[in-house]
């Protein structure tokens, strides 16, 4: 999966009145080419979910984004903790339902084609989504830690990052426990593909 830099997105945005179409035109990849409109749209949704921007709607078609700033570091940490709690709860719930089930019932030799067991598909997708949300939150936290000058904020965010890392490691351990080797390979590939580099979002 391709990635896009959070810093690149924010650098190409003004403090206020940022329209998706304008960002699509100005935000270029390392080769100087535009990203797909769909990628910019999804990235804006993720930036909003991570607390970097806020969507402003004037009408059904007139939508723009403003950058967010937090005057109180505790407010941002509280926001981060809410995201963590929500997704950690989803992971626990999904794992509980998947624990005794066979996730894959048919895997081809090239391991690229698989058929999820019908009763597990919904919970597996929820697990992947929550896992992805936490990996991108961890990526955003690392970026804020690198750019912030607030030592107290950085200290608290490091604790959040450590908790996320522990949750992801435990999730990986539980999901592959007692699985067959071919299941483990596919599962690990699917999860590894959701982890962005620090400061980046998956497209």
């Amino acid at each position: 999966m391709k990635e896009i830099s959070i810093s690149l997105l924010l650098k190409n945005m003004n403090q206020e009145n940022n329209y998706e179409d304008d960002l699509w035109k100005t935000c270029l990849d390392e080769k100087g080419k535009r990203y797909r409109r769909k990628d910019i749209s999804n990235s804006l949704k993720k930036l909003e979910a991570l607390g970097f921007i806020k969507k402003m709607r004037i009408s059904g078609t007139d939508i723009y984004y403003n950058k967010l700033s937090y005057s109180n570091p505790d407010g941002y940490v509280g926001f981060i903790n809410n995201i963590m709690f929500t997704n950690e709860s989803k992971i626990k719930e999904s794992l509980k339902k998947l624990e005794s089930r066979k996730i894959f019932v048919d895997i081809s030799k090239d391991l690229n084609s698989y058929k999820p067991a019908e009763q597990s598909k919904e919970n597996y997708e929820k697990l992947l989504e929550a896992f992805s949300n936490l990996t991108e939150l961890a990526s955003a936290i690392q970026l804020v830690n690198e750019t912030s000058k607030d030592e107290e904020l950085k200290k608290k965010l490091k604790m959040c990052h450590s908790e996320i890392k522990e949750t992801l490691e435990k999730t990986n351990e539980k999901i592959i426990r007692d699985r067959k080797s071919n299941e483990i390979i596919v599962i690990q590939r699917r999860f590894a593909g959701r982890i962005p580099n620090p400061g980046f979002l998956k497209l």
Side-chain angles (χ1 to χ4, degrees):
M1 295 176 72
K2 294 183 178 180
E3 299 179 327
I4 187 169
S5 166
I6 297 174
S7 294
L8 176 65
L9 288 164
L10 295 176
K11 183 179 179 181
N12 280 276
M13 298 175 72
N14 298 315
Q15 193 62 36
E16 298 180 336
N17 303 324
N18 296 284
Y19 286 86
E20 182 179 314
D21 190 62
D22 292 335
L23 186 60
W24 172 72
K25 292 176 181 177
T26 59
C27 192
L28 307 177
D29 64 16
E30 63 276 5
K31 295 181 180 179
K33 295 183 178 181
R34 289 175 178 170
Y35 291 91
R36 295 184 303 172
R37 287 182 182 272
K38 179 181 178 181
D39 291 337
I40 294 297
S41 179
N42 289 337
S43 296
L44 286 171
K45 291 177 182 177
K46 290 182 178 182
L47 286 182
E48 183 180 20
L50 292 169
F52 287 104
I53 60 175
K54 182 177 181 180
K55 180 192 288 186
M56 310 298 292
R57 185 187 297 273
I58 298 176
S59 66
T61 56
D62 194 353
I63 299 171
Y64 62 89
Y65 298 85
N66 291 341
K67 288 183 180 179
L68 288 178
S69 58
Y70 296 84
S71 56
N72 181 3
D74 288 337
Y76 181 64
V77 174
F79 176 81
I80 294 298
N81 281 325
N82 284 338
I83 299 177
M84 290 169 57
F85 176 78
T86 298
N87 287 285
E88 286 172 356
S89 297
K90 288 181 180 179
I91 286 175
K92 289 178 181 177
E93 180 183 357
S94 298
L95 282 174
K96 186 176 181 180
K97 293 179 179 179
L98 289 169
E99 196 168 6
S100 60
R101 295 186 183 276
K102 184 177 181 182
I103 297 179
F104 301 105
V105 295
D106 181 32
I107 302 176
S108 67
K109 291 181 180 179
D110 63 7
L111 299 175
N112 290 321
S113 176
Y114 64 88
K115 180 181 178 182
E118 190 61 35
Q119 67 271 26
S120 301
K121 184 176 181 180
E122 183 179 347
N123 290 312
Y124 180 62
E125 290 300 328
K126 285 182 179 179
L127 176 61
L128 276 177
E129 180 184 2
F131 185 91
S132 297
N133 291 342
L134 284 182
T135 60
E136 293 194 326
L137 179 61
S139 174
I141 287 174
Q142 285 180 274
L143 175 64
V144 174
N145 262 332
E146 291 174 2
T147 56
S148 175
K149 296 180 180 179
D150 189 323
E151 293 302 323
E152 186 63 26
L153 173 62
K154 293 169 73 171
K155 181 180 178 181
K156 291 179 179 179
L157 289 180
K158 284 181 180 178
M159 293 174 63
C160 292
H161 189 272
S162 295
E163 182 178 333
I164 293 173
K165 183 179 179 182
E166 182 180 355
T167 297
L168 297 178
E169 288 175 349
K170 287 183 178 179
T171 300
N172 184 61
E173 290 174 4
K174 288 182 179 180
I175 199 65
I176 65 174
R177 186 183 300 158
D178 300 325
R179 304 292 178 188
K180 294 181 179 179
S181 58
N182 55 351
E183 279 191 293
I184 291 174
I185 292 172
V186 174
I187 290 171
Q188 288 184 328
R189 282 187 179 181
R190 292 282 284 171
F191 277 81
R194 300 296 181 108
I195 303 175
N197 285 309
F200 284 76
L201 301 173
K202 285 292 185 180
L203 295 177

